[in-house]
């Protein structure tokens, strides 16, 4: 890729010209415009790999048949079934344990085995992993995403669902989980776990975000 301006990308365009290959609207810095045929060929080959291909086909099928008709929960159930998943892992925050219990009941009602690991598993003291005393305000034990991932790896789950792991903890979970993982809930304590809300209110309530505050 030979982007003429490495500081400019899709977020500086917003034309969505690549959705319909409208090359006349591609800006000079367009990532699509500056992608080589060799790179595109490698990408296409990657999508032809068995598992990748299956994911893309089932995702396209769900989109084609159920676009704006199914909730995220329903889409996840359908995707898991289409992919042949039998055992589903749930990596949950304890703050969303109630929701995760409900999700597990729904998944089990649809014939899946469900195994969960909550974020406080292991009961590891924050001091034992080098967290400074001044940052120990909300309970003595760490959230433990690495152990959550390792437990689900040991269970050989076919699909894993993230339920409200903290920013950063989710990074470590995805780093260590070996199987496929999708996100059901993204934690946002202020907005009731709707992190997109501030993006819709930057003209009013959250306008300070645009000022770098």
């Amino acid at each position: 890729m030979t982007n003429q301006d490495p500081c400019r990308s899709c977020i500086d365009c917003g034309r969505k010209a690549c959705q319909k290959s409208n090359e006349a609207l591609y800006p000079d810095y367009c990532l699509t415009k500056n992608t080589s045929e060799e790179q595109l060929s490698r990408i296409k080959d990657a999508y032809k790999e068995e598992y990748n291909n299956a994911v893309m086909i089932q995702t396209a099928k769900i989109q084609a048949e159920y676009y704006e008709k199914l909730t995220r929960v329903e889409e996840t159930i359908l995707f898991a079934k289409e992919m042949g998943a039998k055992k589903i892992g749930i990596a949950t925050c304890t703050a969303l344990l109630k929701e995760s219990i409900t999700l597990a009941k729904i998944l089990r009602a649809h014939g899946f085995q469900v195994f969960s690991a909550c974020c406080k598993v292991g009961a590891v003291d924050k001091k034992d992993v080098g967290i400074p005393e001044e940052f120990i305000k909300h309970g003595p034990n760490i959230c433990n995403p690495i152990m959550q991932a390792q437990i689900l790896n040991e269970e050989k789950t076919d699909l894993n669902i993230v339920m409200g792991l903290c920013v950063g903890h989710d990074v470590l979970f995805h780093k260590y989980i070996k199987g496929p993982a999708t996100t059901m809930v993204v934690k946002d304590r202020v907005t009731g776990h709707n992190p997109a809300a501030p993006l819709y209110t930057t003209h009013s309530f959250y306008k300070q975000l645009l000022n770098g505050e």
Side-chain angles (χ1 to χ4, degrees), residues 98-119:
K98 181 179 179 180
E99 292 83 352
S100 293
I101 289 171
T102 300
L103 176 61
K105 289 179 180 178
I106 293 171
L107 293 172
R108 285 169 175 162
H110 283 266
F112 296 104
Q113 297 179 52
V114 183
F115 194 93
S116 177
C118 77
C119 63

Side-chain angles (χ1 to χ4, degrees), residues 12 27 32 50 61-62 65 71-72 81 100 109 116 123 125 128 131 153 155 163 174 178 184 193 201:
D12 300 296
T32 298
E50 184 177 3
K61 178 181 178 181
I62 292 170
E65 298 181 358
T71 63
R72 179 78 177 205
K81 287 183 176 180
S100 293
S116 177
D125 193 294
D128 291 343
I131 294 178
N153 289 340
E155 288 296 320
M163 289 287 287
H174 284 290
K178 293 180 180 179
M184 182 70 70
H193 311 304
T201 57

Side-chain angles (χ1 to χ4, degrees), residues 143-195:
C143 292
N144 198 347
I146 295 177
M147 188 171 180
Q148 285 177 287
Q150 290 179 346
I151 287 173
L152 297 181
N153 289 340
E154 290 171 1
E155 288 296 320
K156 295 181 171 56
T157 48
D158 301 310
L159 179 67
N160 300 287
I161 298 175
V162 174
M163 289 287 287
L165 299 188
C166 298
V167 173
H169 297 150
D170 56 354
V171 172
L172 289 177
F173 177 79
H174 284 290
K175 178 180 179 181
Y176 284 90
I177 193 69
K178 293 180 180 179
T182 186
T183 299
M184 182 70 70
V185 179
V186 178
K187 178 183 285 179
D188 190 329
R189 301 172 182 88
V190 175
T191 65
H193 311 304
N194 178 16

